[in-house]
Amino acid sequence: MKITHADVIVSCPGRNYVTLKIRTDEGVYGIGDGTLNGRELAVASYLKDHICPLLIGRDPQKIEDIWQYLYKGAYWRRGPVTMAAISAVDIALWDIKGKIANLPVYQLLGGASREGVMVYCHATGSDIPAALESFEHYRDQGFKAIRMQCGIPGMSTSYGLAKGNNKAYEPATKGKPEEQAWSTEKYLDFVPKLFEAVREKYGFETHLLHDVHHRLTPIEAARLGKSLEPYRLFWLEDPTPAENQADFRLIRQHTVTPLAVGEVFNSIWDCKQLIEEQLIDYIRATVTHAGGITHMRRIADFAALYQVRLGSHGPSDLSPVSMGAALHLDLWAPNLGIQEYMGYPEAALEVFPHAWSFNQGYMHPGDVPGIGVDIDEKLAAKYPYEPAYLPIARLEDGTLWNW
Ligand code: EZ4
Ligand code: CO
């Protein structure tokens, strides 16, 4: 069997996605996701200009060898653009392997470890009453785990706020990045009040999560973790940037609030110290940014040695193909924690017909051979790429901060 075509499709059905379609001389094809929010065309070029020509003529069944060839063969290892491109290839090749074997990918990995994958959603409101309403909305849909984000008094916006009522949360803006002001002090004073309100009204039945989105220093994060302990969070996400992995020692020494990190990671090396020293509880790397199923499986097995569990990033800015691939991995992984599921714009669900499903707080990848997600190329062509960027944050004095 040989690869005959590898084509990149960049489309914007609600938001931008980079999709790779690999075709073979036997008619079987595979679909992969390489979306990197705000840098989509860099991945598209990496694929089109540097990877696709190298794939033609190769045996698509040699997933491991192709992975090593693209990783070691580039000489320049790691990095979000390179790894998103490798991920797209890897997911497409697992899709092909599943189709050849006539098995869903989770069966190729070793079979299901559970009935379904617990997912968490993103509840948000401009103030506490609105956030509570959003909590109820998702709880009534059956979610067992809900991430709470909320507007902060005295700040015009914060991470995780939807624009306008009932609108899905979508941070990217068309054209240039939006600038937002950030006050650590106001945030730290307010967040415990949000969780106090949720627990007081709804009790402890639903798992609660919160995303700090890299905005605190280690000592501030330690303080927040400590102040949230009475509300028993499932996790506190990205409390501080993780480039310096040793920073998490300080947070860990001060709080038993569980920590989740890694949505911007792109390889096992980004999380090695965090995992080995048991500085985190959940690793959030994804199949689309951290080298596909092949590399994520390696991360999962490594994490299991230290009782760190998977909690993959699953935002709307990764395509439904990524969600499918993640769910196969999650269903198999003995050390699954939870999977993020932010949902998708309606148009994206139409462009990517999918076998995965949601039921009462749990998801399943479906039992279609391969990954179980396709792309309707004709429909995708109706939604051309539109430049869009994530916001940036500045402190109140104008200093550029972590968004
Ligand atoms: O900001 O996916 O946990 N989810 C998040 C996301 C990220 C976006 C970046 O592209 O933090 O909302
Ligand atoms: Co996050």
Side-chain angles (χ1 to χ4, degrees):
M1 184 176 266
K2 281 189 171 28
I3 295 172
T4 54
H5 299 78
D7 298 302
V8 181
I9 304 151
V10 182
S11 62
C12 187
R15 57 152 310 95
N16 293 313
Y17 298 117
V18 178
T19 309
L20 178 68
K21 180 168 183 173
I22 296 180
R23 288 185 277 163
T24 68
D25 56 355
E26 294 184 22
V28 185
Y29 66 89
I31 306 288
D33 178 39
T35 306
L36 186 62
N37 200 0
R39 296 294 184 271
E40 297 87 354
L41 298 188
V43 181
S45 161
Y46 195 109
L47 283 165
K48 254 188 277 189
D49 298 327
H50 304 294
I51 286 188
C52 294
L54 303 176
L55 294 177
I56 309 303
R58 281 178 197 282
D59 180 353
Q61 296 173 105
K62 292 174 130 181
I63 301 178
E64 186 66 52
D65 184 65
I66 291 176
W67 197 98
Q68 300 294 337
Y69 177 75
L70 296 176
Y71 184 80
K72 294 175 179 160
Y75 186 62
W76 312 107
R77 299 179 184 209
R78 309 196 275 153
V81 175
T82 299
M83 296 305 283
I86 293 178
S87 301
V89 175
D90 189 77
I91 296 168
L93 295 181
W94 278 99
D95 193 23
I96 289 173
K97 195 176 280 298
K99 287 172 178 171
I100 298 169
N102 202 29
L103 288 171
V105 167
Y106 76 84
Q107 294 290 12
L108 301 180
L109 294 171
S113 296
R114 55 194 59 80
E115 302 286 310
V117 174
M118 183 165 70
V119 294
Y120 73 89
C121 60
H122 181 96
T124 178
S126 52
D127 55 17
I128 288 179
L132 296 181
E133 212 177 287
S134 176
F135 172 95
E136 262 182 51
H137 166 80
Y138 287 110
R139 189 199 54 181
D140 294 348
Q141 285 180 20
F143 280 97
K144 306 285 179 274
I146 300 181
R147 187 172 71 192
M148 296 300 301
Q149 307 294 139
C150 187
I152 316 287
M155 278 168 63
S156 61
T157 189
S158 172
Y159 167 75
L161 292 202
K163 294 183 183 106
N165 279 343
N166 301 323
K167 286 220 172 131
Y169 169 62
E170 169 47 53
T173 47
K174 303 276 155 71
K176 292 200 176 138
E178 193 178 281
E179 303 220 351
Q180 299 176 351
W182 174 253
S183 160
T184 297
E185 296 73 22
K186 289 173 186 156
Y187 170 80
L188 281 178
D189 283 346
F190 175 75
V191 179
K193 293 177 191 146
L194 167 67
F195 284 91
E196 185 186 12
V198 182
R199 287 304 191 205
E200 210 172 82
K201 185 151 187 202
Y202 304 108
F204 282 78
E205 204 176 308
T206 305
H207 294 303
L208 296 182
L209 301 83
H210 180 68
D211 194 349
V212 181
H213 223 265
H214 310 111
R215 292 173 187 203
L216 299 177
T217 64
I219 196 70
E220 290 162 352
R223 192 174 118 206
L224 179 64
K226 214 170 178 176
S227 65
L228 291 176
E229 280 172 13
Y231 315 114
R232 296 191 299 232
L233 265 58
F234 186 92
W235 81 34
L236 190 63
E237 179 172 329
D238 290 330
T240 197
E243 283 132 320
N244 182 9
Q245 298 180 40
D247 277 352
F248 281 76
R249 288 179 186 154
L250 195 149
I251 307 174
R252 211 51 165 172
Q253 283 157 11
H254 289 283
T255 180
V256 293
T257 294
L259 303 174
V261 173
E263 64 183 52
V264 303
F265 290 177
N266 51 72
S267 87
I268 199 165
W269 301 101
D270 294 324
C271 42
K272 184 171 176 285
Q273 186 181 7
L274 288 169
I275 291 173
E276 269 175 350
E277 292 189 26
Q278 295 180 306
L279 300 178
I280 58 172
D281 302 280
Y282 299 92
I283 178 71
R284 285 182 49 67
T286 70
V287 284
T288 289
H289 295 144
I293 290 172
T294 298
H295 197 64
M296 275 304 298
R297 183 175 56 174
R298 222 143 262 160
I299 292 176
D301 280 338
F302 174 60
L305 300 181
Y306 300 92
Q307 300 198 46
V308 172
R309 296 190 279 168
L310 291 190
S312 283
H313 195 203
S316 324
D317 52 78
L318 295 174
S319 89
V321 178
S322 177
M323 180 54 65
L327 288 170
H328 285 283
L329 189 80
D330 292 337
L331 197 66
W332 156 75
N335 54 328
L336 171 73
I338 197 167
Q339 167 71 46
E340 180 179 6
Y341 175 49
M342 262 199 182
Y344 293 95
E346 202 49 47
L349 295 171
E350 284 165 14
V351 166
F352 297 96
H354 49 278
W356 53 254
S357 58
F358 170 87
N359 182 26
Q360 291 301 311
Y362 294 89
M363 289 180 78
H364 194 282
D367 279 301
V368 169
I371 299 288
V373 186
D374 209 337
I375 180 165
D376 180 336
E377 289 176 73
K378 271 196 192 146
L379 192 56
K382 292 190 181 157
Y383 299 102
Y385 166 76
E386 295 179 51
Y389 294 95
L390 290 168
I392 61 141
R394 290 186 188 276
L395 299 182
E396 288 173 323
D397 70 356
T399 307
L400 198 89
W401 198 242
N402 314 311
W403 177 75

